[in-house]
Amino acid sequence: MSTPTTAAITARKAVRQAVDFHPKLIGALRNYSAARFKADIVAGIVVGIVALPLAIAFGIASGVSPTIGLITAIIGGFCVSAFGGNSVQIGGPTGAFIVIVYNIIAQFGLHGLAVATLMAGVILILLGLFRLGTIIKFIPYPIVVGFTAGIALTIFSTQVNDFLGLGLRDIPGQFIPKWGMYFSAFDHVSLPALITAVVSLAIIVVTPHISKRLPGALISIILVTFGTWLASRLVPGFDVETIGDRFGNMSTDIPTPHGFELNMATINMLLPSAFTIAVLGAIESLLSATVADGVTGSHTNSNTELIGQGIANVAVPFFGGIPVTGAIARTMTNITKDWASIAVQGPKSKEMLTTLAGGEAPTEPVKNALKTLPLEGHEARIAKTGYTGEPLGYEVYVRSEDAAWLWNRLIELGARPAGLGARDTLRMEAALPLYGHEMGIAPDGSEIPIFAVPLSKFAVSFSEQKGDYIGRAA
């Protein structure tokens, strides 16, 4: 068997350094555990429940059938998760693309949309390969806010016809002509459609106030569908158009991949639309990833994320799908918010955590620096916290299902419970009790804030109103 030459090994290293493509899925599987699998199963079910009505709604609003929206969520979502640079990003059809997709279909048909989506995917891959993901992050925030607000207004405009049951067809894509048609048809409002829409919206708005874990959109679909079915049989004249009425019989299977015609004339004609899809997808996906990073404390590889988004948009047209990008609402749903925080402080704190990490030391040397470090196969994030007059300690953040394990392991290593911490976390002393005040001074001379890292807001609290938690009796 021949062995690789030095030149070949050097070439492979050069390629790996030049191409910034490191999917987070690979790293996530290295220290995977049964407990993490159970948590991911629950998160996957919740995200699926949330994504289902959104995929249907965005498909219809974009001018395609609900089936196309679901196919896009399945194929595109898988590719984004498998090849992307963020461990919690959820991809699929989003509201940002509604106007663009609607106009492309109106001008060029579904074939034109497939070509534009494919080209957008190639552009996204090239943006990632040329390491332009970091540059996109510097887009001014006011531009993003204004852009998002504009999209919201446009989406609202596209829904007025169905919300009021006006029954209009061939509605103009432009904003002002569209509203002109609406104003001329306001005397044709359908009361059953309006009642159905208002009740649906009310359920979606009220549900999060009851429980943020309940999928308001899905509950609205189930309850209102049953309610309209019942009303249509009990109330004369209560007729509301259904998905079946508008789209007829729809396939329930994922279609087999199919090709489509490509030529230079079509490419040149659709290039501006493809560029718009690519830039919009890049901005929205990286914005979603940045929001997720702020919650989880992780760091997105923006170039890998763009390549993953590109792969998704190259794949979905062959299944008849529409453009894919990172979805903020679904991504935030995917994040497990139940983190426990344990303060490990004292002369032996570093020694104990190094033992649990298999010899790898915790964060050094900057206070409050957050580091992801597996502790005996369990995901953990560790921040160094320094106090005046005593040795440095650590805030250790683990998933709620791992809190009891970490608590018991630290006790086995010689730590002992010591009561309330300054940040309402569970405190364990690694040999000696603390003294002095709780806050310290950072290297730049400023006071260290109470919340050392973003994850502190998910810390376990000693408040009587917070219910039971690991170690409360201590």
Side-chain angles (χ1 to χ4, degrees), residues 120-161:
V122 173
I123 293 172
L124 283 167
I125 292 174
L126 292 176
L127 289 175
L129 291 177
F130 287 107
R131 296 174 178 263
L132 297 177
T134 305
I135 296 177
I136 293 177
K137 282 188 173 183
F138 290 102
I139 294 175
Y141 184 69
I143 292 179
V144 177
V145 173
F147 175 78
T148 306
I151 290 174
L153 180 60
T154 306
I155 294 173
F156 169 77
S157 299
T158 63
Q159 303 307 300
V160 172
N161 180 38

Side-chain angles (χ1 to χ4, degrees), residues 97 114-127 270-271 273-279 306 309-311 313-314 323:
F97 286 128
V115 174
T117 305
L118 175 63
M119 290 194 296
V122 173
I123 293 172
L124 283 167
I125 292 174
L126 292 176
L127 289 175
L270 289 168
L271 188 58
S273 298
F275 185 76
T276 303
I277 292 173
V279 173
L306 290 183
Q309 298 284 340
I311 292 173
N313 282 284
V314 167

Side-chain angles (χ1 to χ4, degrees), residues 62-289:
S62 299
V64 298
S65 72
T67 304
I68 297 300
L70 291 174
I71 291 171
T72 303
I74 295 170
I75 304 297
F78 173 82
C79 291
V80 169
S81 298
F83 303 107
N86 185 286
S87 58
V88 296
Q89 180 87 285
I90 300 297
T94 68
F97 286 128
I98 288 176
V99 180
I100 300 171
V101 171
Y102 189 89
N103 289 334
I104 292 175
I105 293 175
Q107 295 181 49
F108 308 105
L110 292 174
H111 174 265
L113 177 63
V115 174
T117 305
L118 175 63
M119 290 194 296
V122 173
I123 293 172
L124 283 167
I125 292 174
L126 292 176
L127 289 175
L129 291 177
F130 287 107
R131 296 174 178 263
L132 297 177
T134 305
I135 296 177
I136 293 177
K137 282 188 173 183
F138 290 102
I139 294 175
Y141 184 69
I143 292 179
V144 177
V145 173
F147 175 78
T148 306
I151 290 174
L153 180 60
T154 306
I155 294 173
F156 169 77
S157 299
T158 63
Q159 303 307 300
V160 172
N161 180 38
D162 293 327
F163 193 93
L164 300 178
L166 300 178
L168 299 175
R169 297 290 183 266
D170 300 323
I171 301 174
Q174 296 80 10
F175 183 83
I176 294 178
K178 180 182 299 181
W179 275 95
M181 180 177 283
Y182 289 159
F183 281 121
S184 64
F186 277 159
D187 56 343
H188 295 91
V189 172
S190 170
L191 187 59
L194 180 60
I195 293 174
T196 302
V198 170
V199 172
S200 300
L201 182 61
I203 293 174
I204 294 173
V205 171
V206 171
T207 300
H209 296 284
I210 299 174
S211 174
K212 292 186 177 180
R213 294 183 178 273
L214 295 176
L218 185 64
I219 291 174
S220 176
I221 289 177
I222 295 173
L223 294 181
V224 177
T225 298
F226 176 75
T228 53
W229 173 83
L230 189 63
S232 65
R233 281 155 176 76
L234 299 178
V235 181
F238 195 95
D239 295 321
V240 178
E241 184 184 32
T242 66
I243 291 177
D245 295 334
R246 179 174 298 187
F247 297 100
N249 294 326
M250 295 175 292
S251 173
T252 57
D253 299 325
I254 295 179
T256 55
H258 60 273
F260 41 86
E261 183 181 353
L262 278 175
N263 54 66
M264 286 308 300
T266 304
I267 291 175
N268 291 333
M269 187 168 49
L270 289 168
L271 188 58
S273 298
F275 185 76
T276 303
I277 292 173
V279 173
L280 176 57
I283 293 173
E284 187 169 10
S285 64
L286 294 182
L287 175 62
S288 173

Side-chain angles (χ1 to χ4, degrees), residues 381-399:
R381 295 187 175 93
I382 302 175
K384 175 181 289 186
T385 53
Y387 307 104
T388 301
E390 46 88 7
L392 294 176
Y394 300 89
E395 299 286 353
V396 184
Y397 297 88
V398 293
R399 295 185 179 275

